[in-house]
Amino acid sequence: MVSRVIPVEDFDLVIFGGTGDLARRKILPGLFRRYCSGQMPKDARIIGAARSEFDHDGYRTFVREAIEEFGGVDKAGCTELDSFLNQLFYTPINAKGVEGWDTLKSLMRGNVVQAFYFSVAPSLFGDLAERLHDNKIATPDSRIVVEKPFGRDLESAKELNATLREHFDETQIYRIDHYLGKETVQNLMAVRFGNILFEPLWNNKYVDHIQITVAETVSVGGRGAYYDKSGAMRDMVQNHLMQLLCLIAMEPPSQFEPDAVRDEKLKVIRALEPVEPHHIVRGQYDATPDEQSYRDDAGDPKSFTESFVAMKTHIANWRWAGVPFYMRTGKKMRARSSEIIVVFKDLNHSIFEGDDAGHRNVLTIQLQPNEGMTLDVTIKEPGPGGMRLIDVPLDMSFDEALGPDADDIPEAYERLIMDVIRGNQTLFMRGDEVEAAWAWTDPIIQGWEARRDVPKPYDAYSRGPEDAMALLHRDGRKWRDLSV
Ligand code: BG6
């Protein structure tokens, strides 16, 4: 199989916060990999802009180190780092003042696609938008890219949207949720809407329940101060898990086109039922003999912030009425595993005498660590001895199916930045989607705050608090085990 890389149009990409953590870890190594794959035009410019006093060469050295540290070189097997670095420029800039804006303007060419990546604190979004406008740098065709956290509740998200829309139209705003850039997430849409096989079964007549798990082994150490003001609900559920839920549950859009897809996702969020307090479990990881507890990492011995959350919710529409959607996410869990599991119902009658093993078809869509899908099907156990049935997985691991091409699958940020240049908003969150997601999560968080809800402790590197297990046991179900 030969991968087809289609180069994007020529562009100038300005990275505000070009010396920050996200730029070093993700954006710049990602751009380098796109360069190596031949997708980035040889004249395109990447312009870093931040407070630090670098000149162009100083910034190039900084970026070289970032790429060497964060995997760009090895992964791409590419030796063109020097020529890539020649396409980089830098200007120190004052987001709240006048310094740097003239230089920035002079570095931009004006006749190519223009994108501005706001890789900075949301409190600076308004200043940047205003400066770009007042200095006549942005045009009606420019694109701006913003990161989560997009607000911390409905009110602040509305304010941010209003701030950005003062100077930019919604069609110019690209709100990143990097989960939407993951290969399997897009494959989920391909599988659902590109095959005749699944869609007829994709409803409450055939689906028993759906599980969405995003488990991480990392702690919040290092970013405890930020995380403690956020918690798993704001950090992961409001964005990544809800986006996965939307893609799994949405109606088929009439076309794979930005607004058609986003309209359908929005309908799912609006149809989500409020979560009953006893259908949600919060947790906080404990210390191990060698490692700190959540509260130590957060620097607050009395913190009530959750590092784990599990919940059951329903979607109130014809397709999904009565089908529970279970979601869970946590830090310091037993394994790093992100997956969506669609558990189909039992057969309504088994023709095989003595077979009461309760076989079920289960579709597993694995996002991490290995991207792929499996469908558990029931077959006859090979050999003599009558009709004994067993469940075996039909495996579609991308590594096997795609061979060496699997190594060329772009990481989420690479794909999303290229989509910005292409002007394709399908994999970006629209303002109304983000607001609707907050409208659903706000009452849950406010309920915890009002009750001063105390998260349940859980052992580090475990499956989370026992109550999370009980949430499904009560319904006669169980979570898919987190395999190590
Ligand atoms: C980020 C969260 O959005 O996603 C982090 O802020 C989390 O807390 C990360 O660790 C997970 O991303 P990934 O791609 O490693 O699953």
Side-chain angles (χ1 to χ4, degrees):
M1 205 176 307
V2 178
S3 50
R4 280 166 299 146
V5 173
I6 303 168
V8 294
E9 272 178 77
D10 196 5
F11 64 86
D12 287 344
L13 169 67
V14 178
I15 309 175
F16 293 113
T19 55
D21 210 42
L22 185 72
R24 286 176 61 237
R25 283 171 188 274
K26 298 284 183 189
I27 305 174
L28 292 160
L31 283 163
F32 175 56
R33 286 195 287 268
R34 291 296 90 211
Y35 180 87
C36 293
S37 76
Q39 201 165 21
M40 195 175 128
K42 300 285 177 207
D43 290 324
R45 289 186 176 193
I46 298 163
I47 305 164
R51 274 174 308 191
S52 313
E53 289 292 333
F54 282 125
D55 56 14
H56 300 316
D57 280 341
Y59 189 57
R60 287 171 189 151
T61 306
F62 170 89
V63 175
R64 175 191 295 281
E65 285 167 9
I67 289 174
E68 282 168 357
E69 184 173 353
F70 294 107
V73 181
D74 285 347
K75 182 154 184 213
C78 168
T79 50
E80 295 175 71
L81 187 51
D82 289 328
S83 48
F84 170 74
L85 293 174
N86 282 335
Q87 295 187 224
L88 265 81
F89 301 85
Y90 183 82
T91 176
I93 210 143
N94 180 353
K96 291 182 180 289
V98 293
E99 301 86 355
W101 293 94
D102 285 344
T103 315
L104 178 61
K105 196 169 179 178
S106 69
L107 288 171
M108 301 193 65
R109 290 168 296 163
N111 55 351
V112 294
V113 171
Q114 276 190 349
F116 301 95
Y117 203 127
F118 289 10
S119 182
V120 296
S123 55
L124 290 178
F125 288 1
D127 292 312
L128 291 178
E130 208 170 294
R131 298 282 103 76
L132 285 172
H133 177 260
D134 293 353
N135 288 289
K136 302 200 172 29
I137 298 176
T139 71
D141 294 325
S142 308
R143 290 144 209 181
I144 58 166
V145 186
V146 294
E147 279 287 333
K148 68 175 269 270
F150 199 85
R152 53 176 286 107
D153 52 20
L154 177 58
E155 199 189 324
S156 52
K158 278 186 171 168
E159 274 169 26
L160 274 182
N161 275 333
T163 306
L164 293 177
R165 286 184 191 135
E166 267 178 43
H167 298 297
F168 295 95
D169 186 73
E170 181 63 36
T171 55
Q172 297 178 272
I173 306 173
Y174 290 71
R175 295 178 195 77
I176 287 203
D177 182 316
H178 77 279
Y179 267 57
L180 292 179
K182 292 188 190 267
E183 184 71 16
T184 329
V185 174
Q186 291 163 79
N187 228 323
L188 177 57
M189 288 189 275
V191 165
R192 277 196 65 192
F193 305 130
N195 293 287
I196 202 161
L197 211 60
F198 295 107
E199 197 49 29
L201 307 178
W202 214 256
N203 55 52
N204 54 7
K205 186 155 178 227
Y206 297 103
V207 174
D208 178 76
H209 73 279
I210 291 181
Q211 300 182 13
I212 302 176
T213 295
V214 179
E216 299 181 273
T217 48
V218 291
S219 69
V220 304
R223 59 204 277 267
Y226 150 77
Y227 191 93
D228 203 43
K229 292 197 190 69
S230 170
M233 193 71 184
R234 288 191 172 100
D235 185 53
M236 296 294 288
V237 177
Q238 186 271 345
N239 35 77
H240 306 324
L241 278 86
M242 286 183 76
Q243 288 294 321
L244 298 181
L245 176 81
C246 285
L247 296 178
I248 215 70
M250 71 187 189
E251 295 299 311
S254 58
Q255 291 205 315
F256 190 62
E257 181 270 315
D259 277 330
V261 171
R262 296 184 301 174
D263 285 347
E264 295 307 335
K265 281 162 54 193
L266 180 61
K267 286 185 209 160
V268 174
I269 303 177
R270 291 197 171 143
L272 274 175
E273 289 185 357
V275 181
E276 309 271 341
H278 61 282
H279 286 163
I280 192 155
V281 177
R282 303 167 76 220
Q284 250 185 10
Y285 58 82
D286 270 340
T288 66
D290 304 322
E291 289 173 59
Q292 307 207 102
S293 68
Y294 173 80
R295 289 180 169 189
D296 295 331
D297 282 339
D300 176 359
K302 292 198 184 124
S303 172
F304 284 169
T305 304
E306 76 286 352
S307 61
F308 172 96
V309 66
M311 71 181 78
K312 168 163 96 164
T313 183
H314 285 94
I315 298 172
N317 64 19
W318 277 27
R319 185 187 286 265
W320 294 117
V323 178
F325 285 75
Y326 300 99
M327 298 197 272
R328 66 176 163 168
T329 181
K331 304 283 186 205
K332 265 216 186 171
M333 296 190 63
R334 185 160 177 244
R336 176 170 185 251
S337 170
S338 303
E339 55 186 17
I340 304 171
I341 299 169
V342 182
V343 181
F344 291 92
K345 290 190 172 169
D346 287 342
L347 288 178
N348 51 14
H349 167 71
S350 174
I351 63 167
F352 303 107
E353 201 183 326
D355 175 52
D356 51 8
H359 303 284
R360 283 185 159 185
N361 296 125
V362 177
L363 177 68
T364 304
I365 301 142
Q366 178 136 40
L367 277 65
Q368 285 163 177
N370 304 311
E371 308 203 299
M373 299 193 193
T374 43
L375 177 64
D376 290 353
V377 291
T378 303
I379 59 163
K380 176 188 168 300
E381 192 175 346
M387 202 53 144
R388 291 187 312 273
L389 303 184
I390 51 167
D391 296 339
V392 294
L394 284 181
D395 208 334
M396 203 197 90
S397 117
F398 290 173
D399 277 356
E400 276 171 32
L402 305 179
D405 280 357
D407 294 338
D408 291 341
I409 294 176
E411 284 187 3
Y413 275 95
E414 299 171 44
R415 177 192 316 271
L416 293 174
I417 297 170
M418 291 300 109
D419 276 359
V420 173
I421 306 300
R422 287 193 198 97
N424 184 346
Q425 289 186 303
T426 310
L427 299 177
F428 296 84
M429 293 180 297
R430 212 168 51 190
D432 51 3
E433 262 183 87
V434 179
E435 290 181 14
W438 281 122
W440 182 75
T441 35
D442 270 4
I444 299 173
I445 297 172
Q446 284 157 6
W448 294 336
E449 285 168 358
R451 293 194 301 275
R452 296 198 49 75
D453 190 88
V454 184
K456 302 270 182 312
Y458 62 93
D459 290 343
Y461 309 116
S462 72
R463 297 175 303 176
E466 277 311 309
D467 289 25
M469 301 295 132
L471 183 69
L472 269 73
H473 286 166
R474 283 201 298 271
D475 295 347
R477 303 187 173 101
K478 62 179 192 199
W479 290 105
R480 165 70 66 91
D481 214 10
L482 290 174
S483 44
V484 188

